[in-house]
Amino acid sequence: MTMMKLELKVEMGEVRRARAFADSIADDAGLSERQVQNLHLVVEEAVANIVNYSGATMMELSAWQEDGSLYVSFTDDGIPFDPTQHPEPDVTLPIAMRAIGGLGIHYIRKMSDGIAYRRQDGKNILTVRNTIEN
């Protein structure tokens, strides 16, 4: 797979296009059904977080394969936010006692084999890695 990119408007209606992009890269990578479901959740949560919280005016998804892994990056020009520094929510607490927010990042962490963040040229870049199962 060569690098694939998709530019999106920063609006919730774009989740459908982002999910179609995920299907395309999943097909190219030969992901298992479980991995496709995980990728859908990661893409939907990351896009929703950008739309709802970043204040961004642009968003781009990119994907590539390297060393047996599929990488998907989410780039936006919103306020700086490093999700790798966000604390894990305590999911053992009753819902009424939990802090609001943070579950999207929690799901992204749990549905991937690794996440990395960098701020470059005024943009947030979150990269998610998943090992391709054979």
Side-chain angles (χ1 to χ4, degrees):
M1 165 194 297
T2 58
M3 170 84 71
M4 297 175 65
K5 292 186 177 191
L6 175 67
E7 290 185 24
L8 299 168
K9 296 175 187 169
V10 183
E11 53 190 51
M12 283 306 292
E14 292 285 81
V15 170
R16 189 170 300 128
R17 287 184 60 219
R19 187 178 169 112
F21 179 76
D23 286 337
S24 177
I25 62 177
D27 285 346
D28 284 356
L31 298 185
S32 69
E33 183 59 34
R34 181 186 63 81
Q35 286 183 301
V36 172
Q37 291 171 355
N38 289 352
L39 181 60
H40 284 164
L41 181 61
V42 165
V43 167
E44 290 168 8
E45 290 295 335
V47 169
N49 281 348
I50 292 168
V51 170
N52 291 321
Y53 304 113
S54 74
T57 62
M58 66 74 62
M59 170 174 41
E60 179 182 87
L61 278 64
S62 56
W64 67 96
Q65 288 182 50
E66 185 178 318
D67 298 328
S69 292
L70 174 66
Y71 293 85
V72 181
S73 280
F74 304 87
T75 302
D76 70 78
D77 65 350
I79 58 172
F81 178 72
D82 182 352
T84 65
Q85 299 302 310
H86 196 277
E88 286 282 337
D90 185 351
V91 294
T92 63
L93 291 174
I95 290 175
M97 295 181 67
R98 291 184 201 167
I100 295 173
L103 285 180
I105 296 166
H106 172 74
Y107 293 138
I108 291 169
R109 285 180 178 141
K110 296 299 179 194
M111 298 295 137
S112 64
D113 294 322
I115 64 172
Y117 170 84
R118 71 183 190 277
R119 180 86 179 168
Q120 182 178 327
D121 300 326
K123 294 184 174 117
N124 296 301
I125 305 169
L126 174 66
T127 303
V128 178
R129 180 184 63 82
N130 280 303
T131 304
I132 299 171
E133 298 173 354
N134 292 324

